[in-house]
Amino acid sequence: MIRWRRGEVVRIRREWPGAVELDVTTEDGSARALAYPALVGRPEPGDAVLLNTTALAMGLGTGGYAMVVALPDRLPEDPHGPGHLVKARYTPLQATVLGADEQDSPFHEVLREADSLDGMPVIIADLHSALPAILCGLYGSHPPPRPAAPGDAGREPQEPGGGRPPARVAYVMLDGGALPAWFSMSCARLKEAGWLRGVVTVGQSFGGDVEAVTLHTGLLAARHVLEADVAIVTQGPGNLGTGTRWGFSGVSAGEAVNAAAVLGGRPVAALRVSEGDSRERHIGVSHHSLTAYGRVALAPAQVAVPELPGDFGRRVTEQAEPLAVRHELVGVPVDGLYEALRASPVRLSTMGRGLDEDLAYFLASAAAGRHAASLLS
């Protein structure tokens, strides 16, 4: 189940909030490794490290790192402060965090009786890679400015010309993929760029700006703690699939539709669409979307159907039609979305394919963001 190796840190390759990427040496040779300082301490060149190398041995794409389990010669200090939620429970690296909904939280009173999202649009997608594309569609040609300097704290950014401020967006990360939000470089960069108000980690996932026990309390925290106008829900990086109808982690997208609806939100379903995937089951509208929205989602959502050109666009429209039994299909023009996607503050990539290698995927995600923006006006 786990391949254990001892190693030594050679150098720090790069880092982003919550994560440090390393070069290490082991008995098998050199390898790329990843450490989460909040869990194991901060590695430095020359440190001995205990590694889980299973992902490297399996040749995984998204998670193809040797994971640092411990710095055995230099353990971190004991944690201090409140927090009684245990996540990654009953694993060797179970972590204690402060949940927004627990009794010691300053937001407990806000969330104790909270029961409504007040009609907040909740955009739901299968893959984590949809997140920046959805934001590109949501913001369109007027992305938010970078966060203000410290002296400008509290000042709301304004649209050019003094119009409506950009939407405040919270990302709610499910626990079907990576559990630590720190794994996502996209989340870190999107927050730095001012495109996300914050990250809420729910279920067994952790490391967000706000921690919550369930998707339901996570959505309520997005609305009432982060004061979001829009929430985006996806699993973390590292989709799990088996090539079967039901054996994929993205079934959670259907469950997210139900959660958003029962809390009085407006679920907006982003279709997983591809023209570049080599697997027939994902060409056009992926079977993941058809199962999650067509079978798992029991509450109605607005399904954003991108109006793509040509025969492929007609195929997508036809494949989405069965979803109209329960949901409202909303055709969304894609003109101008390519330019909006090119303005993304993070590199767009899904399954190793970039913007121009699978444009339909990113346009479909951006179309959901564009439709959600129309619900705010």
Side-chain angles (χ1 to χ4, degrees), residues 23-48:
D23 281 335
V24 299
T25 57
T26 73
E27 62 189 70
D28 301 322
S30 60
R32 187 178 63 155
L34 192 70
Y36 303 119
L39 296 182
V40 302
R42 179 181 172 80
E44 298 292 349
D47 279 340

Side-chain angles (χ1 to χ4, degrees), residues 24-25 73 99 147 152 158 193 207 224 246 268 283 287 317 344 352 376:
V24 299
T25 57
D73 298 333
D152 296 330
Q158 296 291 317
H224 299 289
W246 294 102
V268 174
I283 295 296
H287 78 103
T317 299
S344 170
L376 297 173

Side-chain angles (χ1 to χ4, degrees), residues 18 35-42 68-70 76-77 93-96 180 182 206:
Y36 303 119
L39 296 182
V40 302
R42 179 181 172 80
V68 176
V69 181
E77 295 182 1
L93 287 179
Q94 62 183 2
T96 303
W182 307 310
F206 57 92

Side-chain angles (χ1 to χ4, degrees), residues 4-129:
W4 294 96
R5 293 292 185 272
R6 295 184 183 276
E8 181 177 317
V9 178
V10 176
R11 71 182 180 102
I12 295 174
R13 294 170 58 99
R14 58 179 174 170
E15 55 188 299
W16 57 93
V20 180
E21 186 180 283
L22 313 162
D23 281 335
V24 299
T25 57
T26 73
E27 62 189 70
D28 301 322
S30 60
R32 187 178 63 155
L34 192 70
Y36 303 119
L39 296 182
V40 302
R42 179 181 172 80
E44 298 292 349
D47 279 340
V49 287
L50 186 61
L51 302 165
N52 177 339
T53 63
T54 308
L56 285 179
M58 294 177 64
L60 297 183
T62 300
Y65 286 101
M67 304 303 297
V68 176
V69 181
L71 308 180
D73 298 333
R74 190 162 55 81
L75 298 177
E77 295 182 1
D78 289 345
H80 302 285
H84 291 88
L85 296 192
V86 180
K87 297 200 174 187
R89 289 184 286 278
Y90 305 113
T91 68
L93 287 179
Q94 62 183 2
T96 303
V97 299
L98 175 65
D101 38 356
E102 70 170 276
Q103 287 87 346
D104 287 345
S105 165
F107 306 110
H108 176 71
E109 291 301 316
V110 173
L111 293 175
R112 185 170 62 177
E113 301 298 330
D115 195 46
S116 176
L117 299 178
D118 306 321
M120 178 179 70
V122 179
I123 309 168
I124 298 146
D126 179 8
L127 301 179
H128 184 74
S129 56

Side-chain angles (χ1 to χ4, degrees), residues 80 91 104 111 129 161 206 218 238 241 251 254 276 280 302 312 336 363 370 375 377:
H80 302 285
T91 68
D104 287 345
L111 293 175
S129 56
F206 57 92
V251 293
E280 179 62 28
Q302 292 185 322
F312 182 76
L363 288 174
R370 171 173 279 182
L375 301 178
S377 58

Side-chain angles (χ1 to χ4, degrees), residues 87-367:
K87 297 200 174 187
R89 289 184 286 278
Y90 305 113
T91 68
L93 287 179
Q94 62 183 2
T96 303
V97 299
L98 175 65
D101 38 356
E102 70 170 276
Q103 287 87 346
D104 287 345
S105 165
F107 306 110
H108 176 71
E109 291 301 316
V110 173
L111 293 175
R112 185 170 62 177
E113 301 298 330
D115 195 46
S116 176
L117 299 178
D118 306 321
M120 178 179 70
V122 179
I123 309 168
I124 298 146
D126 179 8
L127 301 179
H128 184 74
S129 56
L131 173 62
I134 290 170
L135 287 166
C136 288
L138 180 70
Y139 290 129
S141 60
H142 298 298
R146 287 191 173 272
D152 296 330
R155 182 183 303 171
E156 286 285 350
Q158 296 291 317
E159 285 275 6
R164 188 181 189 280
R168 297 169 296 191
V169 182
Y171 171 51
V172 180
M173 191 179 108
L174 303 173
D175 58 7
L179 296 184
W182 307 310
F183 187 84
S184 174
M185 191 183 300
S186 290
C187 282
R189 299 293 181 254
L190 290 166
K191 285 173 55 183
E192 288 174 0
W195 283 42
L196 284 179
R197 191 167 181 87
V199 175
V200 184
T201 37
V202 305
Q204 298 277 12
S205 68
F206 57 92
D209 302 285
V210 177
E211 304 279 1
V213 174
T214 67
L215 172 58
H216 299 76
T217 52
L219 287 170
L220 290 166
R223 180 63 174 172
H224 299 289
V225 174
L226 294 179
E227 301 180 330
D229 302 308
V230 178
I232 301 173
V233 180
T234 77
Q235 59 187 315
N239 172 65
L240 177 62
T242 62
T244 62
R245 176 173 294 175
W246 294 102
F248 63 98
S249 52
V251 293
S252 59
E255 296 161 353
V257 169
N258 299 333
V262 79
L263 291 173
R266 286 185 284 182
V268 174
L271 292 173
R272 178 175 171 180
V273 172
S274 179
E275 198 171 11
D277 202 303
S278 60
R279 299 164 294 180
E280 179 62 28
R281 64 185 181 272
H282 294 304
I283 295 296
V285 179
S286 168
H287 78 103
H288 285 196
S289 290
L290 298 177
T291 297
Y293 301 141
R295 301 288 298 280
V296 180
L298 302 179
Q302 292 185 322
V303 179
V305 182
E307 295 177 349
L308 301 170
D311 292 341
F312 182 76
R314 285 187 287 273
R315 174 176 179 168
V316 167
T317 299
E318 291 170 2
Q319 288 176 310
E321 285 175 358
L323 298 177
V325 171
R326 180 170 293 124
H327 305 295
E328 177 187 354
L329 304 186
V330 181
V332 181
V334 299
D335 55 293
L337 286 182
Y338 179 71
E339 291 74 20
L341 288 164
R342 285 178 57 85
S344 170
V346 302
R347 178 177 174 270
L348 300 177
S349 178
T350 184
M351 304 290 180
R353 301 185 299 274
L355 176 61
D356 294 316
E357 296 166 297
D358 202 351
L359 179 59
Y361 172 82
F362 297 103
L363 288 174
S365 301

